[in-house]
Amino acid sequence: MSDKAPHRRKSETTLLCVSEFHLHYYQWSSGNETTGEGVYTFHGGVDLKDVSDRMNGKRIDKKHSPIQTCVAPICFNCHFPLDCEDTPSHLPRGNLEKASTLNKHVCEMCLPSPIHCCCCDTILPDEDSHSGYARTSRDIHACSSCWKDRDNQEKWRYNDKNKLTNATTSSYVEEPYLSDEAIEREKVLMGGEPPKPCSDITPFLETCRIKDLIDPKSRDYWPSGMNAQQYLEHKEMMRFNNPIEETPDESWREVEVTEEVLAQYSQDLQSAYEKFNYSIEYRGTLPAEIVAAECKYRLVDQCHGFTCDSPVCQAVFQNYEEMDGGAFGALVATGIPIFTTRPGNIHGTAREAGFGHERCIACVSKALPDYHELHRTHYTNSVKISRVTTDRKL
């Protein structure tokens, strides 16, 4: 934008003086920042190739590299380069805009193309555009009717284009989420076999993006040869063999969560904090580990994803989950000190932590005798140098 720019130099030809220069920049909250690129536009019969060749390789100053120029199709509205057949191959594809199907000289951002249903080819109305997502995404889309129609989705999966994607399995390798013991427990809880798919579920509802159904590298790939029902059963089998979370013991359902129960829960937590002189900033006298009933419980006092497995505490947690949509679980439960019997890395993944159960600071406080009766656990820079043991069961 300075006087050193080619079109502002007095020594340049008059052609550059009559051109218009459009600088490209990023829009940040702190202000605009140039991308280092821009577009010269000309009106009338100008030999663009000749002008580009004369500018190419010129230096603005000694500090910056020479200018690189080429002729490229641009959007007539925002002046950004378009991703067309005659776009030079060396231009960064990430900086190119897709041309609108309504006008090839205007980009999708300036003139969005109509969105067609991939099954019935009808134009999707705005209410079917998923709250603006479809307008800005290059994904495949479907109308509300086809979204719920298994037969239409089968026809789409095996149309002339998509049937060429004929891999019978996905190359995606999914790592186990839980420990082997936890996975076997989940299978037993599910009756030893995967559940049958619900009648109102379709392959499109099974994935976040429809295009993943025809991507052999995707977890949601629809293997060739399967109909819609077989694909849904295939997805249920995947979830059966690799559950993503452990199911709490069902005994919490027998607890009726009343105002008195909630008040007692809060009181028990506060009493436990006071007993161990615990706060978010200071660990106090809370033991690093406890050995009880042949189980070793380790303290998890950092931000974590564990919940207490006692029926009352779990009932309170589930009650809050239903009431506040997860706010309690995200803001409160993650900060409650927890003791766990999991033998592995408790700060890693669920599989790395292993299988076990948890008790919160309130439950531990009730089970332990008065603290002065125990050998204390001392800390030096958060390193445990002695141990607390008790014979009382938690």
Side-chain angles (χ1 to χ4, degrees):
M1 300 302 288
S2 70
D3 291 336
K4 295 180 180 180
H7 59 283
R8 296 195 177 201
R9 291 180 178 177
K10 295 180 180 180
S11 60
E12 296 294 339
T13 62
T14 54
L15 270 178
L16 289 180
C17 296
V18 298
S19 66
E20 294 181 8
F21 180 68
H22 306 275
L23 181 67
H24 295 166
Y25 55 86
Y26 300 110
Q27 292 179 315
W28 307 113
S29 57
S30 58
N32 296 335
E33 177 188 1
T34 177
T35 65
E37 299 175 349
V39 168
Y40 285 96
T41 58
F42 299 84
H43 301 279
V46 177
D47 187 347
L48 298 180
K49 183 67 168 57
D50 177 61
V51 178
S52 174
D53 291 343
R54 277 190 275 171
M55 289 181 60
N56 191 38
K58 287 195 173 185
R59 302 184 74 97
I60 295 180
D61 52 33
K62 295 181 179 179
K63 180 180 178 181
H64 296 89
S65 301
I67 296 174
Q68 296 181 355
T69 63
C70 66
V71 180
I74 63 169
C75 171
F76 287 177
N77 186 59
C78 67
H79 305 103
F80 261 81
L82 295 176
D83 189 2
C84 305
E85 292 182 2
D86 51 348
T87 302
S89 59
H90 67 271
L91 286 181
R93 313 315 285 183
N95 291 346
L96 303 180
E97 296 291 341
K98 187 178 179 181
S100 171
T101 58
L102 298 177
N103 187 333
K104 66 179 182 179
H105 300 298
V106 183
C107 70
E108 277 278 3
M109 296 295 292
C110 296
L111 184 62
S113 301
I115 300 173
H116 293 261
C117 172
C118 63
C119 295
C120 62
D121 202 37
T122 58
I123 296 179
L124 272 63
D126 290 338
E127 56 267 24
D128 273 1
S129 296
H130 304 289
S131 302
Y133 167 76
R135 287 294 177 190
T136 59
S137 171
R138 298 184 181 184
D139 198 1
I140 302 171
H141 306 281
C143 63
S144 298
S145 176
C146 292
W147 202 270
K148 305 172 185 178
D149 193 320
R150 292 187 183 184
D151 293 336
N152 282 357
Q153 293 174 27
E154 278 188 34
K155 293 176 182 177
W156 167 84
R157 174 60 183 92
Y158 297 106
N159 62 26
D160 292 340
K161 178 182 178 181
N162 293 337
K163 70 180 181 181
L164 299 178
T165 306
N166 55 9
T168 56
T169 58
S170 171
S171 61
Y172 178 85
V173 178
E174 187 174 42
E175 295 295 330
Y177 295 106
L178 307 179
S179 64
D180 294 340
E181 188 176 352
I183 292 175
E184 291 305 314
R185 175 179 176 270
E186 293 301 311
K187 289 183 177 181
V188 171
L189 292 177
M190 285 189 281
E193 60 181 23
K196 297 296 182 183
C198 297
S199 58
D200 56 348
I201 297 297
T202 67
F204 284 8
L205 293 173
E206 268 287 339
T207 181
C208 294
R209 300 181 301 177
I210 297 177
K211 67 179 182 181
D212 287 341
L213 294 172
I214 51 175
D215 180 7
K217 298 179 181 179
S218 170
R219 178 184 184 275
D220 295 330
Y221 174 64
W222 186 341
S224 179
M226 290 186 180
N227 59 30
Q229 177 65 21
Q230 290 170 332
Y231 171 73
L232 295 173
E233 292 175 354
H234 161 71
K235 290 302 294 291
E236 289 291 355
M237 179 61 75
M238 290 178 62
R239 283 189 284 267
F240 177 76
N241 289 328
N242 193 14
I244 62 175
E245 61 182 0
E246 296 178 16
T247 303
D249 189 280
E250 293 294 300
S251 57
W252 66 268
R253 296 185 182 276
E254 301 174 5
V255 179
E256 182 181 359
V257 180
T258 62
E259 291 297 327
E260 291 76 13
V261 170
L262 294 176
Q264 186 64 49
Y265 175 81
S266 299
Q267 182 180 338
D268 290 344
L269 275 180
Q270 187 60 38
S271 298
Y273 289 153
E274 294 175 358
K275 177 177 180 178
F276 294 107
N277 194 25
Y278 180 88
S279 66
I280 297 178
E281 298 80 13
Y282 177 58
R283 196 181 316 185
T285 56
L286 197 62
E289 66 179 36
I290 302 170
V291 177
E294 300 181 355
C295 290
K296 183 170 76 171
Y297 291 81
R298 292 186 293 163
L299 173 64
V300 188
D301 64 339
Q302 301 176 6
C303 184
H304 56 78
F306 297 108
T307 58
C308 182
D309 289 322
S310 74
V312 173
C313 294
Q314 191 61 224
V316 170
F317 175 79
Q318 297 293 343
N319 176 72
Y320 278 121
E321 283 289 290
E322 185 176 346
M323 289 175 54
D324 59 23
F328 176 84
L331 303 176
V332 179
T334 54
I336 298 175
I338 288 283
F339 286 85
T340 181
T341 62
R342 299 176 190 272
N345 179 14
I346 54 179
H347 299 297
T349 64
R351 184 170 181 81
E352 291 170 343
F355 184 71
H357 60 271
E358 285 71 44
R359 290 292 184 268
C360 69
I361 185 175
C363 295
V364 168
S365 176
K366 295 176 185 177
L368 287 176
D370 290 338
Y371 196 73
H372 67 269
E373 299 177 7
L374 297 171
H375 298 291
R376 298 188 176 220
T377 297
H378 304 283
Y379 296 91
T380 301
N381 294 331
S382 298
V383 178
K384 182 177 70 66
I385 59 176
S386 64
R387 185 179 190 187
V388 167
T389 59
T390 176
D391 294 331
R392 299 187 62 177
K393 293 183 179 180
L394 293 180

